[in-house]
Amino acid sequence: MIRWRLRVWLAVSTSALGSAGWAQAPSTATVGDTLVATANALMQSKSYGPAARVFGQLTERYPTVAVYWVRLGVARQLAGDSDAALSAYRTSIELGAGAVAQYNLGSIFAQRSMPDSAFRWLNGSVSGGFSSVAALESDSGLTRLHGDPRWAQLVETVTHAAAPCMYRPESRAFDFWVGDWDVTNAAGQPAGTSSVQLLLNGCALYENWNANGNGEGKSLNSYNPDLKLWQQFWTDQTGHVTEYRSSTWLNGSLQYTARVLTPQPQTLHMTFTPVNKDLVRQFGEVSRDDGKTWTTQYDLYYHRRP
């Protein structure tokens, strides 16, 4: 799937005309066309009618470049010709423009007091990648929708789209390890300290490990939705790296697995078990016979700091 992001185009804000202030960057294949510079200059000077005519020429010259159809729709919408804007947006959607055009269609139908069509296109824009809660809630072109029960659902949908990991149960399953910890070995002797933080809107757990001055390490942990499992990348102050590329859940415990080649081929297991909300066990094992037998490497207990 093509990655897509919103950006303000030519400083036209959503408060000026709903979603028409949002558009994609031009195609690199045609960015050198002098018509592009002309159209951009006209938009900058708020000469929207002339800009629409130039973008119309660009769509004739490059009829399969979706972004020019989107920009034609924006210029027409800003010029007050929403019927012509609808046509341009629909063509851009047929060419794969997706979220930007769908959002703009939603804003037009919202201003026409046609909520069914407005919500249809706005929800379509979310499916296509729109995820800006701030833009949605500050968009004056959507004010007429605020009293509709579907508005709250739309805001919630966009909120989830902006931070999907925060609402994905699999991504929250390892949250029991988040916190600041004093770590001991199985005998209760101090082994180190650890701080585990949520990053990237809950998509990653980042560990900072300190072995009481005898070494440091960092790990990045994340649920991989494509493989449907947790993975960890670990490194320490010597540059030693361990990649736990697979994992499984065993009776509430998360068991990572890594396969390393040096100093000899071996398989590593690292199992995290939530003993209670303030105590987590981290148990490490190694096998040098392809999993037939296992030897304990470490047995650590994370005690949550008050």
Side-chain angles (χ1 to χ4, degrees):
M1 182 177 68
I2 298 175
R3 292 184 179 180
W4 172 86
R5 68 183 176 88
L6 291 175
R7 77 178 182 93
V8 177
W9 176 47
L10 297 177
V12 182
S13 69
T14 54
S15 61
L17 181 58
S19 60
W22 300 98
Q24 293 173 308
S27 166
T28 55
T30 58
V31 71
D33 196 309
T34 56
L35 285 178
V36 176
T38 300
N40 286 348
L42 288 168
M43 289 295 293
Q44 189 69 58
S45 66
K46 299 184 179 181
S47 300
Y48 302 125
R53 287 191 289 273
V54 177
F55 278 121
Q57 295 176 51
L58 281 166
T59 60
E60 292 176 3
R61 184 173 296 183
Y62 307 105
T64 61
V65 178
V67 69
Y68 292 140
W69 288 98
V70 175
R71 290 188 168 191
L72 174 60
V74 171
R76 286 174 172 176
Q77 191 173 356
L78 287 168
D81 191 350
S82 61
D83 287 334
L86 286 173
S87 177
Y89 290 142
R90 291 182 187 279
T91 298
S92 73
I93 292 171
E94 292 174 0
L95 294 171
V100 174
Q102 291 184 72
Y103 187 105
N104 289 2
L105 281 173
S107 73
I108 290 177
F109 286 116
Q111 292 172 58
R112 291 183 175 186
S113 297
M114 299 173 66
D116 291 346
S117 294
F119 282 112
R120 172 197 168 192
W121 289 110
L122 289 170
N123 281 306
S125 74
V126 179
S127 298
F130 175 76
S131 60
S132 175
V133 178
L136 182 74
E137 294 186 322
S138 64
D139 191 337
S140 60
L142 304 179
T143 303
R144 296 183 184 182
L145 301 178
H146 290 189
D148 192 297
R150 290 169 290 186
W151 176 257
Q153 180 60 53
L154 176 63
V155 172
E156 181 179 353
T157 300
V158 175
T159 300
H160 286 206
C165 297
M166 291 302 299
Y167 304 94
R168 182 189 297 130
E170 295 86 351
S171 295
R172 304 274 55 80
F174 199 15
D175 280 3
F176 62 79
W177 196 35
V178 175
D180 294 317
W181 309 90
D182 291 315
V183 185
T184 65
N185 59 24
Q189 299 168 326
T193 60
S194 181
S195 178
V196 182
Q197 308 157 15
L198 279 180
L199 298 181
L200 301 174
N201 288 329
C203 289
L205 272 66
Y206 178 58
E207 179 195 17
N208 290 276
W209 163 257
N210 188 305
N212 289 335
N214 295 318
E216 296 183 31
K218 313 287 184 183
S219 75
L220 190 67
N221 305 256
S222 185
Y223 176 74
N224 186 329
D226 295 328
L227 299 179
K228 301 186 184 305
L229 50 79
W230 277 84
Q231 296 177 310
Q232 184 191 99
F233 181 92
W234 161 270
T235 188
D236 63 20
Q237 81 284 352
T238 69
H240 176 73
V241 170
T242 305
E243 294 181 81
Y244 294 89
R245 297 188 179 185
S246 63
S247 64
T248 188
W249 287 92
L250 301 170
N251 299 319
S253 298
L254 175 59
Q255 184 178 86
Y256 280 120
T257 299
R259 305 191 186 280
V260 298
L261 299 177
T262 58
Q264 64 185 73
Q266 52 191 342
T267 303
L268 305 179
H269 276 171
M270 179 172 58
T271 305
F272 291 88
T273 301
V275 180
N276 57 52
K277 67 182 183 66
D278 294 321
L279 181 62
V280 175
R281 183 189 185 192
Q282 182 183 356
F283 183 62
E285 303 172 279
V286 59
S287 174
R288 297 179 177 85
D289 54 12
D290 200 24
K292 295 177 183 178
T293 61
W294 294 88
T295 301
T296 298
Q297 280 190 305
Y298 50 83
D299 192 3
L300 301 176
Y301 289 81
Y302 286 63
H303 304 265
R304 191 183 301 277
R305 290 180 177 176

